[in-house]
Amino acid sequence: MGLEVESRPSDSPYIERVWRSTSDDVGGMTSVATASWDLVFWEHLGRVNVSLQGPEPRASRAEVPEHATFFGIVFSLGTSMPHIPINRLVHGGAEIPDATRTSFHLKGSTWRLPDYDNAEEFVRRLVREEILASDPVVTATPDVEDLSERTVQRRFVASTGLTRGAVRQINRARQAAVLIQEGVPAVEVVHRLGYFDQPHLARSLTRFIGRTATQLSRRNPPEPLSLLYGS
């Protein structure tokens, strides 16, 4: 009952995570902040939907349709679709219309719907067709040579929609949340991840995760979280 989520890592440099889920007897979830964007497919009441879900710079509440199935590809930082400016997706998304049970349209071409097991093959085709690209400046950050800080920051924002500082804060908060869910005391999380003190950690969790450390420690929260995983 609720929101059942399964996910796996990927050996593709373009993919951070592949996930799928089903919803039952749940009306919403806490959508945690994320520096990545997703390509999401879901079926509800016999209708197939496809959308791009952009980076989320803060936690928010999201509605979840009941009795729906979902599948998504989380793309690696620095990966983008150049024909869709990433800044249009930040804290939002874009629906891809006219999807069917077998196909959808993207950049003038018809694509077969991928699934949880063949996501890598689908992404390889996106790369071959030059629909998907990766910025080496972003993937190499912070060890980028022969480029000014201003240039690196500009390329980073253009590729991710976020600043490097924002990405670091989001990723640290997500890591902190995972550690707390694993039973690591908050005081130890502060020291492991370089927070100034526990109030600093608390503010970060509230802003980016939408939960306090105590709430994250509960085994049966009143509302599920969106996809949250360790490194």
Side-chain angles (χ1 to χ4, degrees):
M1 303 293 284
L3 189 66
E4 300 293 332
V5 182
E6 176 185 5
S7 73
R8 63 173 177 82
S10 172
D11 58 6
S12 168
Y14 297 92
I15 300 174
E16 181 174 315
R17 202 85 178 174
V18 181
W19 60 272
R20 59 185 172 188
S21 67
T22 58
S23 64
D24 185 23
D25 192 27
V26 59
M29 68 177 181
T30 301
S31 180
V32 302
T34 176
S36 303
W37 62 279
D38 298 45
L39 179 58
V40 182
F41 306 83
W42 77 98
E43 184 173 348
H44 180 236
L45 299 177
R47 179 185 174 186
V48 174
N49 305 270
V50 183
S51 70
L52 302 172
Q53 296 297 318
E56 292 285 348
R58 64 186 67 85
S60 61
R61 189 178 187 280
E63 299 296 321
V64 178
E66 284 195 76
H67 310 300
T69 59
F70 304 85
F71 154 66
I73 301 171
V74 184
F75 290 95
S76 301
L77 200 67
T79 298
S80 64
M81 289 184 177
H83 70 288
I84 302 176
I86 191 68
N87 62 344
R88 296 184 185 176
L89 302 179
V90 175
H91 205 47
E95 183 179 355
I96 298 176
D98 303 323
T100 72
R101 287 179 176 273
T102 59
S103 65
F104 71 105
H105 298 282
L106 183 63
K107 201 181 178 184
S109 298
T110 300
W111 297 76
R112 290 190 61 82
L113 289 182
D115 59 36
Y116 187 79
D117 296 314
N118 70 9
E120 284 78 9
E121 179 182 346
F122 168 73
V123 166
R124 282 194 293 270
R125 184 184 168 198
L126 288 178
V127 174
R128 286 197 304 269
E129 297 294 329
E130 299 183 343
I131 292 176
L132 205 64
S134 180
D135 188 334
V137 171
V138 176
T139 57
T141 300
D143 300 318
V144 179
E145 299 180 357
D146 302 324
L147 289 176
S148 69
E149 175 65 23
R150 183 176 180 180
T151 297
V152 172
Q153 187 70 275
R154 177 177 54 80
R155 293 271 290 270
F156 202 95
V157 172
S159 180
T160 69
L162 303 170
T163 65
R164 284 192 291 166
V167 169
R168 282 194 294 266
Q169 290 181 60
I170 291 169
N171 288 343
R172 181 168 63 169
R174 290 173 63 93
Q175 187 177 357
V178 169
L179 290 173
I180 290 170
Q181 287 182 326
E182 292 174 347
V184 179
V187 64
E188 185 175 340
V189 172
V190 167
H191 293 298
R192 279 198 199 183
L193 301 184
Y195 286 99
F196 295 122
D197 49 28
Q198 286 190 244
H200 183 206
L201 169 63
R203 290 192 298 271
S204 177
L205 291 174
T206 300
R207 178 179 180 183
F208 298 117
I209 308 301
R211 299 279 173 89
T212 64
T214 299
Q215 290 169 333
L216 285 166
S217 300
R218 293 174 183 166
R219 292 186 178 276
N220 297 301
E223 189 172 82
L225 287 172
S226 63
L227 183 63
L228 187 63
Y229 47 88
S231 56

